[in-house]
Amino acid sequence: MRAWRVYAALVLLLTRCLQTLAYAPLSDDTLKHRIPWPETNDFDIHNGPILAPILVPRVPGTPGSLEVLNHFIKFFGNELPDWTISLQNSTSKTPTHGDKNVPFHNFIATRHPPWVSTGNAGYLTLVAHYDSKYTPEGFIGATDSAAPCAMIMSAVRSIDAALTNKWAAMESQGFDLDLDDEQSRGIQVLLLDGEEAFQSWTATDSIYGARSLAEEWDNTMYPAMSTHKTMLNSIELFVLLDLLGSGENLPIPSWMQNTHWSYQHMAEMEQRLRKLGLFKSDAKQTWLTEKEKKNDGVFQQNIMQDDHIPFVARGVPTLHLIPSHFPREWHRIGDNAEYLDIPTVEDWSLLTAAFAAEYLELEGYFDPRPQALRAARDEL
Ligand SMILES: *[C@@H]1O[C@H](CO)[C@@H](O)[C@H](O)[C@H]1NC(C)=O
Ligand SMILES: [Zn+2]
């Protein structure tokens, strides 16, 4: 048994070295007729089921924060019952709360193939922060980052049925149980708390939730002989969405050289969706402007401070989707519901879903879209 396990580990190591990175393109047919659109009402700012409940002040430790957290729990519980939900809690002093400990709650939702045991799954991890800034009073942070949270929620719902279909097909076909990465890959959503500084951004007054989570996962060991050593190691790609959803079409550079390949895939998908007429926002401008940048080009990877920092510091590959110039209303009271451009929010959701579907190699597993839903955009 022991020798067999050592041998199996060696084989696994070898396959991991030989294999290429995850990604299989979706067909035009899947993009046009199959992958579910965000539902029309999802992002209604007044009563839409996904976005509207997030458009409230949600400063850590306040009732608004807990209401939004409950909204995430209910959404996944009702719409995505195959996902595993958990919270990671911490507390910290802040420059504005004196001796009081402020509580932070990170929301975590995970789904991996049913045959994969804990410690052997690797994740595409979609991330946004849900807390809002302490000041100015009444600040909503619609682009920062209510809308990105909603984009991720809608995107994972769009690919959930295809994941079910794929994993059912793989199970029924039977496969070699020396699992390779492709057979062990899952998806994870992190909606993080305490990204914003209470007073002004410093290493200790910012990203409270992300710092706590990265440290805890770095120290949480999986059983010996697992594919991944720690919970942190099971993140294959950390995709962080921030300051998205205004109609300003601000360019998003490729920040990180080691994930430039994934940026290029997403940029390619953006261009395809535009060319196929599947975007609702009317802008002709490209968001991901650096698709043609070469691997030896300039990457300004240490400039942007955000939730990825403690993960990057521990070696987690990160795709950071944030514009280099911030939206006009950034950190102002004007970053409110009306500031959002809803077609842009929908398009980001679709782009995120399509990117995740390619990463998880879901081509061939999407059912045709119901006729009623097809009409609207199929005219395009
Ligand atoms: C985290 O905090 C929430 C909200 O207070 C609580 O319901 C939950 O039980 C806590 N979870 C853990 C793992 O401590
Ligand atoms: Zn902010």
Side-chain angles (χ1 to χ4, degrees):
M1 187 62 188
R2 247 205 130 76
W4 180 86
R5 294 189 82 181
V6 170
Y7 173 74
L10 281 174
V11 170
L12 198 67
L13 201 71
L14 245 155
T15 15
R16 285 173 67 81
C17 296
L18 292 174
Q19 91 188 136
T20 53
L21 297 160
Y23 219 82
L26 294 179
S27 64
D28 283 1
D29 173 61
T30 294
L31 293 175
K32 285 158 76 176
H33 304 299
R34 290 170 184 270
I35 189 169
W37 310 127
E39 286 169 26
T40 332
N41 198 30
D42 278 353
F43 302 117
D44 185 292
I45 59 173
H46 301 294
N47 51 26
I50 293 190
L51 177 59
I54 315 175
L55 294 171
V56 295
R58 46 195 191 285
V59 174
T62 64
S65 165
L66 283 185
E67 276 161 33
V68 172
L69 190 60
N70 278 326
H71 166 55
F72 299 149
I73 294 168
K74 266 191 258 163
F75 176 84
F76 278 83
N78 293 337
E79 309 258 345
L80 298 164
D82 293 324
W83 292 59
T84 304
I85 299 171
S86 62
L87 298 178
Q88 188 266 346
N89 298 338
S90 61
T91 63
S92 176
K93 303 254 189 304
T94 83
T96 48
H97 289 76
D99 277 343
K100 196 181 150 217
N101 269 317
V102 176
F104 300 95
H105 309 287
N106 293 317
F107 173 87
I108 300 151
T110 301
R111 189 174 180 201
H112 61 66
W115 56 81
V116 177
S117 54
T118 311
N120 291 342
Y123 296 108
L124 172 66
T125 301
L126 304 177
V127 190
H129 78 85
Y130 75 88
D131 62 302
S132 65
K133 217 170 153 291
Y134 189 53
T135 55
E137 207 189 321
F139 179 75
I140 295 291
T143 66
D144 186 12
S145 269
C149 289
M151 292 164 190
I152 290 172
M153 293 162 77
S154 168
V156 296
R157 191 184 54 192
S158 291
I159 63 166
D160 192 55
L163 278 176
T164 305
N165 290 345
K166 174 175 175 169
W167 292 340
M170 285 169 81
E171 248 179 338
S172 72
Q173 283 154 16
F175 44 83
D176 179 0
L177 278 167
D178 258 345
L179 303 180
D180 65 13
D181 281 3
E182 213 275 310
Q183 295 172 352
S184 314
R185 186 168 291 125
I187 181 162
Q188 191 170 59
V189 168
L190 305 180
L191 303 176
L192 300 179
D193 200 3
E195 188 266 352
E196 301 286 4
F198 286 85
Q199 195 167 63
S200 60
W201 191 283
T202 65
T204 51
D205 185 19
S206 65
I207 57 171
Y208 293 87
R211 282 186 285 126
S212 172
L213 186 67
E215 188 186 347
E216 186 170 311
W217 280 8
D218 201 11
N219 292 313
T220 308
M221 299 284 177
Y222 285 129
M225 299 304 291
S226 301
T227 310
H228 305 287
K229 198 168 150 221
T230 67
M231 281 185 78
L232 196 87
N233 295 146
S234 60
I235 301 174
E236 282 187 358
L237 182 66
F238 184 101
V239 181
L240 177 58
L241 283 68
D242 201 359
L243 303 181
L244 305 176
S246 84
E248 291 167 67
N249 297 300
L250 302 164
I252 295 172
S254 178
W255 297 100
M256 305 278 174
Q257 190 200 35
N258 67 340
T259 58
H260 188 50
W261 65 274
S262 64
Y263 177 99
Q264 288 175 309
H265 281 310
M266 195 175 217
E268 170 71 19
M269 177 52 74
E270 183 199 357
Q271 289 176 12
R272 284 183 65 201
L273 290 169
R274 286 184 190 282
K275 209 175 284 170
L276 290 168
L278 298 175
F279 266 7
K280 275 194 171 176
S281 58
D282 51 13
K284 300 274 182 288
Q285 281 129 301
T286 307
W287 298 328
L288 303 180
T289 47
E290 296 196 328
K291 177 166 167 268
E292 305 306 330
K293 182 158 82 178
K294 298 281 181 280
N295 269 320
D296 58 3
V298 177
F299 292 86
Q300 299 191 294
Q301 41 201 36
N302 297 317
I303 287 189
M304 203 56 87
Q305 304 287 302
D306 209 340
D307 278 331
H308 61 312
I309 299 278
F311 292 87
V312 171
R314 292 171 169 86
V316 176
T318 300
L319 173 60
H320 195 193
L321 300 169
I322 191 171
S324 47
H325 292 93
F326 290 173
R328 196 179 56 244
E329 299 298 333
W330 175 71
H331 284 189
R332 297 165 59 164
I333 196 76
D335 187 2
N336 57 22
E338 287 73 28
Y339 181 50
L340 294 174
D341 182 64
I342 300 308
T344 297
V345 176
E346 283 194 36
D347 292 346
W348 266 109
S349 178
L350 179 60
L351 176 58
T352 304
F355 173 83
E358 294 199 330
Y359 193 96
L360 294 158
E361 304 185 359
L362 297 180
E363 173 62 17
Y365 297 104
F366 284 95
D367 298 324
R369 203 172 293 135
Q371 203 61 40
L373 282 177
R374 296 179 63 159
R377 285 198 215 198
D378 289 355
E379 316 254 310
L380 294 168

